């Protein structure tokens, strides 16, 4: 429970696990890997931000949206493994940014999630990643992130 204590010290509480809104499951475990479905910046069931980054949403707001998505990913991970101290490492993030034409700073936006995970997990939080532009994302969310995590057996 050390990771959850650290999370609280950082000023965050894990929300209830978001429920899928389409035909998929929140996570799938295979071996010691957990694949977590893409999450957005919902807080209490509502998107905190909406729209295209670089037009409707600032880069700073999108960075925060990315951090919120990471918290939502962690709530699913907690449901999957029961204790976040079982994380061996965050393996990979795939980040998608609902980008206005000409916006090319997707890596800076997804850093919101990456830097948060590194701050929380230390070396175990360092991961490989992609940060891609999307011309649209579901429900007009500015970011969507999926995550792969290695956990104790």
């Amino acid at each position: 429970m050390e990771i959850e204590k650290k999370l609280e010290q950082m000023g965050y509480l894990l929300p209830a696990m978001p429920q899928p809104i389409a035909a998929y499951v929140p996570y799938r475990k295979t071996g010691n890997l957990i694949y977590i479905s893409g999450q957005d910046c919902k807080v209490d069931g509502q998107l905190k931000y909406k729209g295209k980054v670089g037009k409707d949403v600032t880069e700073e707001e999108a960075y925060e949206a990315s951090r919120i998505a990471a918290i939502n990913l962690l709530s699913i991970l907690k449901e999957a493994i029961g204790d976040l101290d079982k994380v061996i490492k965050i393996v990979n993030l795939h980040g998608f940014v609902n980008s206005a034409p000409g916006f090319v700073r997707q890596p800076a936006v997804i850093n919101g999630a990456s830097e948060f995970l590194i701050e929380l997990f230390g070396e175990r939080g360092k991961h490989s990643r992609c940060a891609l532009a999307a011309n649209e994302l579901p429900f007009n969310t500015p970011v969507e992130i999926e995550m792969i995590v290695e956990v104790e057996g």
Side-chain angles (χ1 to χ4, degrees):
M1 303 303 257
E2 292 301 312
I3 291 295
E4 288 180 61
K5 285 180 191 172
K6 185 172 182 181
L7 193 60
E8 286 181 37
Q9 290 169 351
M10 291 168 63
Y12 299 99
L13 293 174
L14 289 179
M17 182 179 81
Q19 295 302 308
I21 52 175
Y24 65 90
V25 294
Y27 67 90
R28 180 66 74 198
K29 184 173 188 218
T30 182
N32 287 354
L33 294 177
I34 305 222
Y35 291 75
I36 304 174
S37 296
Q39 296 301 305
D40 56 26
C41 62
K42 282 189 182 133
V43 176
D44 296 325
Q46 301 295 316
L47 287 173
K48 173 133 185 186
Y49 301 102
K50 285 185 178 182
K52 293 195 175 296
V53 180
K55 178 184 173 198
D56 312 306
V57 178
T58 67
E59 185 177 318
E60 294 76 19
E61 290 170 329
Y63 178 96
E64 182 184 351
S66 179
R67 183 170 285 238
I68 293 167
I71 292 165
N72 289 332
L73 288 161
L74 290 177
S75 71
I76 294 171
L77 182 60
K78 164 97 170 138
E79 181 75 21
I81 64 175
D83 181 354
L84 295 178
D85 290 342
K86 293 180 181 178
V87 169
I88 294 173
K89 68 182 113 179
I90 307 297
V91 176
N92 183 267
L93 294 182
H94 284 170
F96 303 90
V97 180
N98 187 359
S99 299
F103 183 79
V104 296
R105 293 188 40 83
Q106 293 79 15
V109 168
I110 301 303
N111 274 349
S114 292
E115 291 171 356
F116 173 75
L117 292 168
I118 292 166
E119 183 181 353
L120 181 61
F121 289 100
E123 282 296 312
R124 297 183 295 156
K126 292 183 178 178
H127 51 273
S128 64
R129 178 186 97 174
C130 68
L132 303 172
N135 67 331
E136 300 290 341
L137 285 174
F139 310 104
N140 208 22
T141 184
V143 299
E144 182 172 332
I145 303 173
E146 58 185 41
M147 183 167 71
I148 302 169
V149 183
E150 182 181 4
V151 298
E152 294 173 5

